[in-house]
Every structure is written in structure tokens, then in C-alpha cells.
Amino acid sequence: MQTTAPRPAGRAPRTGLMRHLELPAEVMFIGVLVIVASLPLVTSLAAAGAGAVLLREMAETERTPTVGRFLRLLAGSVRQPVVLLAPAAALAVAGLDVLALAAGVPGGRPIGLLVALALTFVVLVGIRGAAQWRPGEAWRTTLADAAASVPRDWRGSLMLAGAVVVLAVVAFEAPAFTVILPGFLVMAAVAVEGRRTR
């Protein structure tokens, strides 16, 4: 029998117009937290995981996301080396790929295409892993589960790939919105994972 976590004390249930106004504002707030925490780049996976936890708490218990809660989740996450090494490895491979293409290495285009496909897979694993992660869980296990879910739930993976493309276009056309877009990507990932577990 499924139980719902109790609503935090001191906050009345949101109804009507206030609920519709607070929800996007809190998603945008989480997006700002995620992008600020991702500035070193290697912390991007940990930041997305912390943002996903805040979003789930907000949806399931109407817990208001706070900077303090985000920082505690982030600190707990970065204690695991794999959460920092995975983005660093992806960035290194992407950088080498760009350098190889720019230098005109023979066979660079086919290799570049293969590396681009591999990086797409890695990005999808990272997004899905962030949405699946729970405080106290091992990132290694979470990422392994996420890697298995990318081909198994290919419809969800296509949805997330579409979300990445749409948000990239928005960021290109309106760079001022870049600071809030990670919140919408994390929300899309949480929604896809929620759909898969129902």
C-alpha cells in the first residue's frame, strides 16, 4: 500500500491561482540553483541530482525548495568521487573530439559522429541518473540503472532528447533565459522517471 509523505508543518496546502503561480516560480528557482552550482562543470551531475530531489519533494509533499536544503543535498552528493569524475570524463572526451575535428584528422568525421552519439548516450544517462538519485544512494549504482533505462525506456529517452534540443534552441535564441532552463530540464527528467515507475 502506497503512502504519501506528510506535508511539512506550518504550510497550508496551495490551491487555485497561488498553486499555479508558485510552481513555475519554484521550478525557475531550482534552475538558478542548479546552474550556479554547475559553474565548475564537474559539479553539474551533483547539482542536477540535488535539484531533482528538491523537485520531487516539492511535488510529493509541497516542501518549499530552499538554498540550505539544496546545499546539504549537494554536499552529500559530491562526497562520492564518481559524481565528479563522470562529468569530467565526458568533458574531456568532448574536448578531444572537437580538437580532432578542428585539426582535420583523417577519418575525423565518422569518428566525430560516433563520439557525438556516445556523448548523447552519456548525457541521457546523466539526466536520467540525476532524476533517479536519492540522498544516501550510491551514484555508481544510480548511473548503472540509468544507463540500462536509456535503451529500455527509449520513448522516455526520446522525450528527454527532445527537451534538450528545445531548451538549447531557447538558450540560443534568448540567452537571458539560460539561468532558469536547467530547472525545466530537471523537471522533464523527473516527469519521465515518474512516468516510468508508475
Side-chain angles (χ1 to χ4, degrees), residues 158-175:
L158 284 177
M159 289 182 212
L160 286 176
V164 170
V165 170
V166 168
L167 294 178
V169 169
V170 171
F172 180 77
E173 294 294 333

Side-chain angles (χ1 to χ4, degrees), residues 52 127-128 130-132 160 163 184-194:
I127 294 169
R128 297 196 80 145
Q132 292 176 18
L160 286 176
F184 292 103
L185 181 57
V186 171
M187 183 178 69
V190 169
V192 165
E193 290 306 314

